[in-house]
Amino acid sequence: MGGTLLKNKIKFARNLRKQMSDAEIKLWQRLRDRQIDDLHFRKQAPMGKYIVDFVCHKIRVIIEVDGGQHNEQIEYDSERTRWLETQGYKVQRFWNNEVLQQIDNVMEVIWDLCASRRNL
């Protein structure tokens, strides 16, 4: 990836970190500061030509929080998930309303996923 392109992607990711949705903010409050089994998650992280919502590189887990716009970009999201999985990552998606209304259930799924990935 060219230097200018990489710098633009990093700048875009920084802007996304400042403009997180309510659902992303709520989930980040639960993922940050190694609250899940002392695992370090990053938010709005560049990966290849994409920017993922949350990633833990140690166990190769990506958490995506999807809003309504994802109903119109199913093919793009599928292509993106396939590429991330070819890089060895497990992608877990949640809808905004799941995070906002059922955060304990969402966290249970994430805890289980992280535990299963730790044992690989």
Side-chain angles (χ1 to χ4, degrees):
M1 184 177 298
T4 302
L5 187 58
L6 180 59
K7 287 178 186 176
N8 288 341
K9 182 174 287 283
I10 291 169
K11 186 176 180 178
F12 183 63
R14 285 184 183 140
N15 286 335
L16 286 176
R17 288 180 203 125
K18 295 174 187 174
Q19 300 171 9
M20 291 171 55
S21 70
D22 290 345
E24 290 170 333
I25 290 168
K26 187 169 190 166
L27 185 55
W28 179 238
Q29 290 171 343
R30 300 281 189 108
L31 294 176
R32 65 184 290 186
D33 297 330
R34 300 179 186 269
Q35 294 180 68
I36 296 183
D37 203 18
D38 201 36
L39 294 170
H40 175 74
F41 279 85
R42 294 184 59 214
K43 63 181 176 179
Q44 303 301 339
M47 293 190 64
K49 65 180 186 176
Y50 305 107
I51 296 176
V52 299
D53 290 338
F54 306 101
V55 60
C56 176
H57 291 294
K58 183 174 184 176
I59 58 170
R60 301 179 86 72
V61 166
I62 294 170
I63 308 295
E64 290 289 308
V65 180
D66 295 340
Q69 78 277 9
H70 289 270
N71 283 326
E72 285 86 49
Q73 60 185 51
I74 294 169
E75 188 174 321
Y76 171 82
D77 283 345
S78 294
E79 174 187 315
R80 183 176 186 269
T81 297
R82 276 192 302 278
W83 184 85
L84 293 165
E85 289 175 346
T86 66
Q87 304 307 301
Y89 286 82
K90 171 65 178 154
V91 179
Q92 178 67 54
R93 293 183 173 280
F94 297 99
W95 291 104
N96 281 345
N97 64 332
E98 288 180 283
V99 174
L100 293 171
Q101 298 169 11
Q102 303 169 8
I103 189 67
D104 291 335
N105 293 341
V106 167
M107 292 310 299
E108 188 173 328
V109 170
I110 294 171
W111 269 93
D112 291 346
L113 173 60
C114 290
S116 72
R117 297 291 290 183
R118 240 188 212 284
N119 297 326
L120 293 179

